[in-house]
Amino acid sequence: MRLAAALLVLATPALAEVQPDAIAAPRPVRHLSDYGFFDDLAAGTPAPGVVPYVISAPLFTDYADKDRFLYTPAPVDPGTGGLLDLPVGSALIKTFRYDDHRVETRVLLHQASGWKAWPYVWNADGTDAELRLAGADMTIDTGHGPAAYHVPNANQCKACHIGADKQITPIGPKLRNLNTGDQLDRLAAAHVLTSVPADAPAVPDYTDTAVPLDVRARAWLDANCGHCHAPGHPADTSGLYLTWDEADPLRLGVMKRPVAAGRGSGNLEYDIVPGDPDASILLYRLTSTDPGVMMPELGRSMVPEEGAALIRDWIASLKE
């Protein structure tokens, strides 16, 4: 009987275990599997302590679906709505895929010296992903047309993930972006959060047509533009601030002239002209695929048609 039990134990696959040394290593590990984030990497089954989560208003990336996971060595105070203060040793894992075809996984690792961002590209068999510090380019049939898909290199990761302190920082896991459905309760139950605030703010899903148009538009702009167009962030010098909590119409771009009238302005005069989307630089740039014009500058080669329609409707609804 004891022998049978022992054989059963030997025959049962051991659960994967997150490798803190890999998270803390000064040089990134070669394969995604080396971190131990997944029990079954090919199936996307997370290891104990690695928690899946969703963002209520995600960033557009050429119609890719994204699977997000979070690992923290200790529960974190949820704060009042902003970015979670994840401790050293934490990891954010985001896989980009089209149906069952995984393309890349980006990891953000919180080390003692700060956050590190590394891109991994999946092999053709979908069994593991390999470190690609130089990034990668490929053509992908997205179901919305072919995309010139670009995996950012390690330096390009910084283009979006630079905070006001000029250090790499996460973008998505803000309390207000996580407050959707019962997710905060689930994160607390999984020991990611120490508690769930009774009055936690929430950014809505911008695809939910039951939400007022202006609220949906602001959620889309916050998700797709706010990580750069914020005080102290890379687009600070533009004076155009597109974050969720920006209340000044001029700083939002309403009848605001651009600081530079280069090709990116399309010979238009104002970022947003109330009632006239086609006279608005904001719409011009987000519907462009010209690398010297389009916004965001990275992360897409296609026009976010649904987002562009939303912003068009929103600008058309604005009154002078």
Side-chain angles (χ1 to χ4, degrees):
M1 191 66 178
R2 289 181 178 176
L3 177 60
L7 291 174
L8 179 61
V9 169
L10 290 174
T12 302
L15 294 177
E17 186 174 348
V18 173
Q19 301 298 309
D21 289 347
I23 294 175
R27 294 175 63 87
V29 297
R30 183 173 179 183
H31 294 101
L32 180 62
S33 57
D34 295 333
Y35 290 108
F37 292 141
F38 295 92
D39 269 345
D40 185 335
L41 187 57
T45 307
V50 178
V51 180
Y53 70 98
V54 298
I55 294 293
S56 58
L59 173 71
F60 174 85
T61 310
D62 282 348
Y63 291 101
D65 292 317
K66 300 169 186 174
D67 299 323
R68 297 175 172 85
F69 301 89
L70 184 157
Y71 170 76
T72 176
V76 297
D77 187 313
T80 58
L83 195 65
L84 295 184
D85 186 16
L86 296 166
V88 170
S90 298
L92 296 165
I93 308 106
K94 183 165 63 176
T95 293
F96 297 68
R97 62 175 173 81
Y98 293 90
D99 295 326
D100 294 332
H101 172 51
R102 292 184 179 88
V103 179
E104 58 157 325
T105 294
R106 303 175 191 174
V107 298
L108 273 174
L109 310 175
H110 197 183
Q111 302 181 344
S113 59
W115 286 91
K116 306 296 181 185
W118 308 121
Y120 289 80
V121 175
W122 283 79
N123 61 26
D125 296 332
T127 55
D128 206 344
E130 187 172 3
L131 180 69
R132 290 286 186 89
L133 291 177
D137 291 288
M138 58 196 82
T139 300
I140 294 178
D141 182 0
T142 68
H144 296 262
Y149 192 95
H150 178 65
V151 178
N153 62 42
N155 283 328
Q156 288 173 324
C157 293
K158 300 175 184 175
C160 294
H161 285 275
I162 287 290
D165 58 358
K166 309 308 176 189
Q167 301 296 314
I168 292 180
T169 184
I171 295 174
K174 301 179 177 74
L175 184 67
R176 62 177 183 265
N177 292 336
L178 299 171
N179 188 10
T180 176
D182 65 350
Q183 181 164 251
L184 294 185
D185 291 324
R186 289 192 290 105
L187 292 176
H191 306 293
V192 171
L193 302 178
T194 56
S195 62
V196 177
D199 55 350
V203 174
D205 175 358
Y206 51 70
T207 67
D208 183 356
T209 55
V211 176
L213 175 63
D214 61 329
V215 177
R216 294 172 56 212
R218 292 297 305 275
W220 193 93
L221 291 172
D222 182 62
N224 287 274
C225 313
H227 51 278
C228 279
H229 284 275
H233 288 244
D236 185 9
T237 56
S238 71
L240 180 66
Y241 303 131
L242 300 173
T243 50
W244 173 250
D245 51 2
E246 181 56 59
D248 184 332
L250 183 62
R251 286 160 60 104
L252 271 171
V254 177
M255 298 307 292
K256 175 187 172 306
R257 293 184 185 276
V259 295
R263 193 161 62 92
S265 70
N267 295 319
L268 302 174
E269 294 188 66
Y270 301 100
D271 291 332
I272 293 176
V273 179
D276 195 347
D278 291 320
S280 301
I281 297 172
L282 184 72
L283 186 65
Y284 170 72
R285 301 196 74 167
L286 72 88
T287 55
S288 174
T289 56
D290 181 335
V293 174
M294 70 179 191
M295 287 287 172
E297 295 175 320
L298 294 172
R300 73 172 179 91
S301 65
M302 306 175 72
V303 174
E305 297 290 353
E306 296 78 7
L310 173 61
I311 299 305
R312 172 179 288 280
D313 290 346
W314 174 61
I315 295 176
S317 75
L318 297 176
K319 308 298 182 186
E320 292 186 14

